[in-house]
Amino acid sequence: MAREDIEFTAQGTTLHGWFYPAEGATGEAPCVVLQHGFSGVKEMYLDSYAELFQAAGLACLVYDHPGFGASDAVPGCPRLEIDPWQQVRFVQHAITYAQSRPEVDAERIGLWGSSYAGGHALVVAGIDRRVKAVVSQVPPVSGSMAFKELIRIDRWAEMDAVFAAERRARLAGAEPSMLPVVTTDPAGAAALPTPDAYEWCTTTAQQRAPEWRNEVTLLSMEFLRGYEPGRWAPLIAPTPLLMIVAPLDRLADGQLATQVYEEALHPKKLVLIPGGHFDAYHGPGFECSAPPARDWFVEHLLDKRV
């Protein structure tokens, strides 16, 4: 089935995305809201997940976070700044928009997030009871631990000074300092300084998302350090939670994610997939990650009314 280009406005900001009507639906259908991680944009394989869910009878709403891809930035905020709590609020706005559509059953909303947005999925499911089923894929569950893993230990004190100086400069009216998302330089500064991140981001951007930008604001990393989405996992129940984790993930620690899963309450399910952080999006990894997510939403949104 065809998808529809959509836009919706919240907090004075217009977000752009796609709406996929549920295949075979004769009335209101459940809807899954999908969002990407970190600096990712919707063209980076979110359509693959939405098409699979759509074919199972689920409507889907896919969109770009504020200031990324086709979406506008929040007034007063720069583009390419990753503020996780701002993104969490806009997940909730996206749910509201999905509920407003006549094709959607407002009482059957699912939430899917991958990577950084896998963390957002945990938070939103823990605070917003409109979510009736949630899938969190390869989430970084602790920003403080991720920061320590991504930034060399001998630079931690230096980064404190850099963040403080950046805040002073921006208060004085300076343009935000930018940081590459990925780099080929082993000693270079980047938000995601791993070889698999560089390979996936640049290859995927070249093939599918030419408007993706290899930069984020410097303060995005300070915001990451203070973000602890795993702490919300125990608050998700009784909403059904599926976590899809790669134990060998070396960007968003897969073993730490499984520990967070153990802290969540039932109903819940854990699916372990092979490969690293980026292998879930295509090829054999997609065949391991996407069907379990589809089946989770079918079981909890389509097979029964809630």
Side-chain angles (χ1 to χ4, degrees):
M1 295 181 66
R3 72 188 184 204
E4 174 190 345
D5 292 334
I6 60 96
E7 63 180 50
F8 60 95
T9 300
Q11 295 182 221
T13 303
T14 300
L15 269 62
H16 293 262
W18 303 317
F19 180 79
Y20 293 76
E23 188 170 318
T26 57
E28 294 179 346
C31 183
V32 179
V33 176
L34 298 93
Q35 10 110 48
H36 222 312
F38 208 67
S39 69
V41 295
K42 61 186 182 300
E43 289 82 3
M44 290 173 153
Y45 291 104
L46 293 196
D47 51 339
S48 300
Y49 289 90
E51 289 167 2
L52 185 72
F53 300 166
Q54 178 188 41
L58 300 158
C60 294
L61 174 65
V62 181
Y63 69 97
D64 287 325
H65 290 297
F68 287 85
S71 292
D72 296 343
V74 173
C77 298
R79 287 191 65 81
L80 305 178
E81 180 146 282
I82 306 174
D83 179 342
W85 288 105
Q86 181 185 92
Q87 292 185 351
V88 162
R89 289 192 294 273
F90 275 85
V91 174
Q92 295 182 280
H93 293 318
I95 291 171
T96 302
Y97 170 75
Q99 289 182 313
S100 75
R101 293 191 63 101
E103 313 95 322
V104 170
D105 182 344
E107 298 302 317
R108 291 187 289 166
I109 298 294
L111 181 60
W112 180 98
S114 188
S115 191
Y116 211 30
H120 300 347
L122 297 175
V123 175
V124 175
I127 63 179
D128 195 327
R129 291 301 164 196
R130 295 177 299 171
V131 177
K132 303 304 183 184
V134 59
V135 174
S136 173
Q137 177 173 288
V138 293
V141 294
S142 170
S144 59
M145 291 299 296
F147 184 88
K148 290 179 179 180
E149 292 168 351
L150 294 171
I151 305 297
R152 285 183 359 210
I153 190 171
D154 60 330
R155 298 195 63 193
W156 290 354
E158 173 191 344
M159 292 306 298
D160 288 337
V162 167
F163 291 148
E166 177 69 5
R167 286 185 172 274
R168 290 193 299 271
R170 285 177 57 169
L171 180 64
E175 292 295 315
S177 299
M178 307 303 290
L179 181 71
V181 178
V182 294
T183 179
T184 56
D185 182 359
L192 307 179
T194 63
D196 60 339
Y198 178 84
E199 175 66 23
W200 188 83
C201 287
T202 55
T203 300
T204 304
Q206 183 180 41
Q207 294 176 350
R208 302 175 64 94
E211 294 184 1
W212 176 80
R213 298 277 299 280
N214 185 22
E215 59 179 356
V216 293
T217 68
L218 176 63
L219 286 186
S220 298
M221 296 304 292
E222 185 187 38
F223 296 155
L224 165 67
R225 186 174 63 175
Y227 188 47
E228 299 291 327
R231 296 188 179 185
W232 295 87
L235 303 180
I236 294 173
T239 303
L241 165 66
L242 173 66
M243 288 184 66
I244 300 174
V245 176
L248 299 180
D249 192 333
R250 293 298 177 261
L251 185 62
D253 189 337
Q255 295 182 6
L256 188 60
T258 61
Q259 292 178 22
V260 165
Y261 171 80
E262 295 300 328
E263 297 169 1
L265 306 179
H266 288 280
K268 64 179 181 178
K269 182 178 180 180
L270 177 65
V271 171
L272 301 179
I273 60 174
H277 186 75
F278 298 97
D279 292 316
Y281 295 106
H282 55 89
F286 179 80
E287 296 304 320
C288 294
S289 68
R294 173 202 59 201
D295 295 345
W296 191 252
F297 290 128
V298 167
E299 176 184 356
H300 294 287
L301 299 179
L302 194 61
D303 285 352
K304 62 182 180 181
R305 291 185 176 271
V306 292

